[in-house]
Amino acid sequence: QVSENEPYLMEPLSLDRRTDEESPSSDNTLTIDTYLTHIGFGRFQYKLALFCGIIWCTEAMEIMLLSLLLPVLKKEWHLESYLEASIASATFLGILIGAFISGYISDSYGRKKATLVGITLTAVFGLLSALSPSFIWLLLSRWAVGLGIGSGHVPYSLFAEYLPPHKRGTPLIYFNLFFTVGAVIEAGFAWFFLANDGEFGGWRALLIATAVPLFGLFFLYPLTPESARFLLVKGRMKEAKEVLDGLAIQNGKAPLEGELQASNHFDEVEGLDLTRIRKLFVPQLRRTSMIIPILWSAMNIIYYGLVILTPKYFEAIESENVYLNVLITNSAEVPGLFITAFLVDKGRIKVGTIEMIICGVCIIGLIVPSSFTNGIYHLGVSIVARAMSIGTFAIIWLYTPEVYPTVVRSTAMGICQVFAKVAAMFTPFISLVFVDFDPKIPIAIFSITSFIAAFGMYCLPVETAGKDLAETIDEVELVEFKSSPESVERDSTKVFRVKSEE
């Protein structure tokens, strides 16, 4: 009988196949991090990054089109500002619900199945949005699209779980480039389809062009592996070993002899949702779990607030080409991610704190009236704010799956998405409704939120750079209340070990 994981190998195996590197393990027992360190970063991770990255790219396109689509619909359908904002809020409501559901599916049935559900919902209802004959149809379609987008944390976790423990930071930061590429592509699509009063197809063509790339993912899905970590904690040791053996061969390494070390807590991934949520607040994780949701909420307010506000802001200061300025500010995320990738292994917490402070200062700079400056100034501070916000957002995406063990990782990501999207639901009203009263109101809210996020980053108890991922809660050591990145000991046998400071 053929194993369901056999297609993941992507190429036939041969008993006579040899590599120049002999198996380094003489022990009969293997840990998954030992195996991933042996496999290294290579051909397989590039393939997995492509699949997971395309998902992120297309989801970014679906989110970014809101800021460009809504002003057009407001004029064409004569919508009030609160109705305009409600379309974006419905999408984020869908993302909220989808994040919770996908977290449950991911931890119970696997990362692969949760990803497939998300792709299907986003693709199908993305196309149906283009057929909208009315406001209600569009509102419900975008809500359903949000359900699919809500699973976006799952492919991220899947990619993270196949990275060698000491080579996680930079690849995961660069992974966020897929989201930025999607944002830039969508701005280009909007410039083409919406400029000159929709001469080249208008908003319906924009929605179709945004949804079509998702259907290509169905062809890549069968070639994608289930998470070996998920298989491990589910007790499916043989399948996990088969997957890792195949990945080793793809990366030009000899499969390791021996058996994967089994967790004694397979049942930790089973049970009711409330049970899993409680496990996020055990003593080892309590302080982290109190801070992380706040950071996710703050980052969603800041990032999506700037995304939605940007077109209106440039229109308010009478910019010559709104779509061009949006394209430029979206592109600014690229250098922001490169800067973050270069610095992140020096300390997730330190870099994130500094970037949020810079972001808050730049957002305050938007208050300066256009009569005292030229267009370059406002474009410049917008670029820096976006670059720093995406950099910190990437760090939060990196830090969260690192700090939680496998048995609750996807649930933790799902819960964080819930908190994040609750905040994001209200963000369109800040950017689209409050701005009608006074443009300084959203700017003040976003800048204050940036400084709150900076303080929250600084208060995180554990620096995760260079640490192994935990499989079970028992592998996470109790963290003392006061700690700093400098107090972290490197210990390959533990995930986090933090010295208490008197």
Side-chain angles (χ1 to χ4, degrees):
Q1 184 177 359
V2 180
S3 166
E4 67 173 299
N5 289 309
E6 189 169 347
Y8 307 157
L9 307 185
M10 302 189 196
E11 53 188 62
L13 305 183
S14 171
L15 294 176
D16 295 329
R17 182 166 184 172
R18 298 287 186 270
T19 62
D20 294 333
E21 183 175 343
E22 295 297 326
S23 170
S25 176
S26 58
D27 192 353
N28 192 45
T29 302
L30 303 170
T31 67
I32 192 168
D33 281 310
T34 298
Y35 211 136
L36 288 174
T37 299
H38 169 66
I39 292 173
F41 190 94
R43 181 182 177 189
F44 164 72
Q45 280 86 359
Y46 286 116
K47 290 180 179 179
L48 184 61
L50 179 63
F51 173 75
C52 297
I54 292 175
I55 297 176
W56 263 43
C57 181
T58 53
E59 291 184 351
M61 293 168 65
E62 291 287 354
I63 293 175
M64 291 297 167
L65 74 80
L66 293 173
S67 64
L68 301 159
L69 173 67
L70 295 180
V72 175
L73 291 177
K74 182 177 182 179
K75 293 179 182 179
E76 183 173 326
W77 288 357
H78 307 290
L79 299 176
E80 297 292 337
S81 293
Y82 74 91
L83 292 176
E84 177 189 10
S86 66
I87 296 175
S89 292
T91 303
F92 287 117
L93 175 61
I95 295 175
L96 185 158
I97 299 172
F100 187 77
I101 294 173
S102 63
Y104 172 78
I105 295 174
S106 177
D107 281 345
S108 299
Y109 304 103
R111 312 325 190 204
K112 251 189 109 172
K113 290 182 175 64
T115 299
L116 180 62
V117 171
I119 294 171
T120 303
L121 286 171
T122 307
V124 172
F125 286 97
L127 279 182
L128 289 177
S129 297
L131 305 177
S132 300
S134 65
F135 170 79
I136 295 298
W137 178 301
L138 182 63
L139 187 74
L140 294 176
S141 296
R142 297 316 298 176
W143 173 79
V145 167
L147 287 177
I149 297 174
S151 67
H153 63 95
V154 179
Y156 185 92
S157 294
L158 177 61
F159 179 63
E161 288 175 346
Y162 274 114
L163 293 176
H166 299 298
K167 294 183 179 179
R168 261 194 327 262
T170 300
L172 285 175
I173 294 297
Y174 284 136
F175 183 82
N176 286 273
L177 283 171
F178 285 104
F179 194 91
T180 297
V181 168
V184 172
I185 291 174
E186 191 62 28
F189 277 1
W191 194 0
F192 179 79
F193 290 113
L194 300 181
N196 301 318
D197 297 323
E199 179 182 356
F200 294 103
W203 63 270
R204 295 183 189 275
L206 175 63
L207 286 169
I208 293 173
T210 302
V212 165
L214 280 159
F215 289 91
L217 292 168
F218 291 109
F219 297 99
L220 296 176
Y221 176 81
L223 302 178
T224 306
E226 180 55 86
S227 167
R229 293 182 185 275
F230 170 79
L231 296 173
L232 180 68
V233 299
K234 279 291 188 178
R236 295 155 65 178
M237 314 303 298
K238 182 178 179 181
E239 294 176 67
K241 183 65 163 56
E242 288 175 356
V243 171
L244 291 172
D245 287 347
L247 306 188
I249 292 174
Q250 284 192 64
N251 281 8
K253 303 294 178 68
L256 295 180
E257 298 295 331
E259 296 182 357
L260 283 176
Q261 180 178 333
S263 168
N264 293 324
H265 303 277
F266 295 137
D267 60 329
E268 290 194 50
V269 295
E270 306 290 350
L272 299 175
D273 294 342
L274 184 58
T275 301
R276 296 180 187 172
I277 294 172
R278 285 173 178 167
K279 288 176 181 176
L280 299 179
F281 292 91
V282 297
Q284 299 98 311
L285 299 171
R286 184 177 298 135
R287 187 182 176 203
T288 298
S289 295
M290 292 175 64
I291 297 175
I292 287 289
I294 296 174
L295 290 177
W296 277 89
S297 299
M299 290 312 307
N300 273 259
I301 291 173
I302 298 163
Y303 181 78
Y304 291 119
L306 290 175
V307 166
I308 297 173
L309 179 65
T310 297
K312 265 203 135 158
Y313 179 78
F314 285 122
E315 185 178 346
I317 63 174
E318 300 180 350
S319 172
E320 294 181 1
N321 191 327
V322 172
Y323 295 115
L324 175 60
N325 285 341
V326 171
L327 179 63
I328 292 173
T329 52
N330 286 357
S331 301
E333 295 183 6
V334 176
L337 288 172
F338 274 107
I339 292 170
T340 302
F342 177 74
L343 297 173
V344 72
D345 285 331
K346 300 182 184 302
R348 322 298 200 221
I349 296 173
K350 183 188 301 183
V351 175
T353 301
I354 293 172
E355 288 186 342
M356 270 296 91
I357 292 173
I358 296 173
C359 180
V361 171
C362 288
I363 293 174
I364 292 175
L366 293 174
I367 294 179
V368 178
S370 58
S371 57
F372 291 96
T373 64
N374 54 35
I376 300 298
Y377 165 79
H378 290 92
L379 180 61
V381 292
S382 298
I383 286 173
V384 177
R386 279 290 291 275
M388 295 297 99
S389 66
I390 191 63
T392 310
F393 216 157
I395 291 174
I396 294 298
W397 271 99
L398 166 64
Y399 182 90
T400 305
E402 285 184 331
V403 81
Y404 287 105
T406 301
V407 292
V408 293
R409 183 172 299 123
S410 231
T411 296
M413 291 292 287
I415 294 299
C416 287
Q417 287 286 299
V418 169
F419 275 86
K421 299 320 171 190
V422 166
M425 281 174 55
F426 295 99
T427 301
F429 291 93
I430 299 174
S431 295
L432 299 175
V433 179
F434 288 2
V435 73
D436 289 341
F437 294 97
D438 188 339
K440 296 185 181 65
I441 295 177
I443 292 174
I445 292 174
F446 299 148
S447 61
I448 292 172
T449 306
S450 296
F451 294 127
I452 292 174
F455 180 73
M457 287 290 298
Y458 178 78
C459 290
L460 285 171
V462 171
E463 178 57 65
T464 61
K467 295 297 174 182
D468 292 345
L469 296 180
E471 303 302 327
T472 68
I473 291 175
D474 286 347
E475 294 177 17
V476 182
E477 289 200 348
L478 183 64
V479 177
E480 296 293 336
F481 182 78
K482 188 176 180 183
S483 62
S484 67
E486 289 75 16
S487 67
V488 176
E489 293 181 302
R490 298 187 65 87
D491 184 345
S492 60
T493 64
K494 297 294 181 184
V495 182
F496 313 119
R497 175 172 291 178
V498 183
K499 297 179 183 176
S500 61
E501 295 176 357
E502 300 297 332

